[in-house]
Amino acid sequence: MIRIELLSKENFRIDSLDNYIRKQDVKRVYRKKNGEYSLVECSYTEDWDMEKRRSVAKDISKKEYITYLALDGDRVVGFIGLMKKLNGSYMILDLMQVSAEVRGHGIGRKLFDKGKEEARKAGAEALYISACSSEETIAFYNAMGCSLTDSTIKEIAEDEPYDLQMICPVNSES
């Protein structure tokens, strides 16, 4: 049974993502043309090598983050990393992943709900997400109640020009 826990020294080490399966086969992505987003063919595989896994493990362990883990026994099968410091009225959802072999079982929703809960506690009005433009990723965030925003955080939007900038209100009705 998968459980959601706040990252701690007891449940996470630098090698905790060594067996994590990031793999995602992307077929279509959203691109903006004439001011509108539409799906276009763009096939590639997103995957992490060991160096990337260790780098992400280091990042989500930093004190600047609030990180929740999805754990199957002691194995990390998902996580959400939120920046503690608000950017205006936004809490930035910086990293969120669910391991390939357990996608589609509600783990992403549970992690996302924890993110919304943390944002509410911090006094944020919304989560801010710079989302990968893949069809599946955007479908997930839309299902979570996110929408595109014109109120972008400039440096984030410029750093990932193909990402879609989204927000999700975190009030109790959402």
Side-chain angles (χ1 to χ4, degrees):
M1 178 161 173
I2 309 293
R3 64 190 192 287
I4 308 297
E5 293 182 5
L6 193 59
L7 182 146
S8 70
K9 290 177 182 172
E10 288 74 40
N11 64 16
F12 195 81
R13 298 180 322 268
I14 193 68
D15 64 351
S16 289
L17 298 180
D18 285 5
N19 296 312
Y20 186 83
I21 304 170
R22 165 60 182 99
K23 190 171 183 179
Q24 180 179 359
D25 293 317
V26 175
K27 302 290 183 224
R28 301 191 316 167
V29 297
Y30 284 92
R31 292 293 183 261
K32 197 171 200 175
K33 189 174 181 179
N34 301 325
E36 296 290 321
Y37 282 100
S38 59
L39 282 169
V40 298
E41 299 296 321
C42 182
S43 293
Y44 66 93
T45 298
E46 181 79 35
D47 204 353
W48 291 348
D49 60 16
M50 188 60 70
E51 183 179 342
K52 178 67 175 179
R53 286 185 188 103
R54 292 282 175 104
S55 173
V56 170
K58 200 178 298 181
D59 285 346
I60 64 175
S61 300
K62 291 179 180 173
K63 65 180 186 223
E64 294 87 6
Y65 278 86
I66 300 167
T67 301
Y68 281 91
L69 305 172
L71 296 162
D72 184 4
D74 62 353
R75 185 168 169 260
V76 176
V77 295
F79 57 88
I80 184 170
L82 308 147
M83 300 302 296
K84 284 182 183 175
K85 185 177 182 213
L86 297 185
N87 188 308
S89 62
Y90 296 143
M91 177 172 268
I92 298 169
L93 188 166
D94 192 46
L95 291 161
M96 183 172 165
Q97 300 288 330
V98 174
S99 194
E101 79 282 8
V102 295
R103 290 182 194 140
H105 298 313
I107 296 166
R109 177 176 294 279
K110 288 177 184 173
L111 288 166
F112 195 82
D113 287 346
K114 281 292 187 185
K116 286 172 59 175
E117 181 182 314
E118 285 296 331
R120 273 193 297 277
K121 287 195 298 191
E125 293 176 15
L127 282 174
Y128 183 93
I129 304 111
S130 182
C132 166
S133 62
S134 74
E135 182 176 18
E136 301 81 7
T137 299
I138 299 307
F140 170 79
Y141 285 122
N142 283 333
M144 296 300 104
C146 301
S147 59
L148 294 173
T149 184
D150 292 325
S151 301
T152 63
I153 299 173
K154 185 179 179 197
E155 51 280 6
I156 293 175
E158 288 175 354
D159 191 42
E160 294 286 352
Y162 290 115
D163 280 9
L164 274 63
Q165 305 305 301
M166 304 181 85
I167 59 168
C168 183
V170 296
N171 59 32
S172 48
E173 294 84 49
S174 63

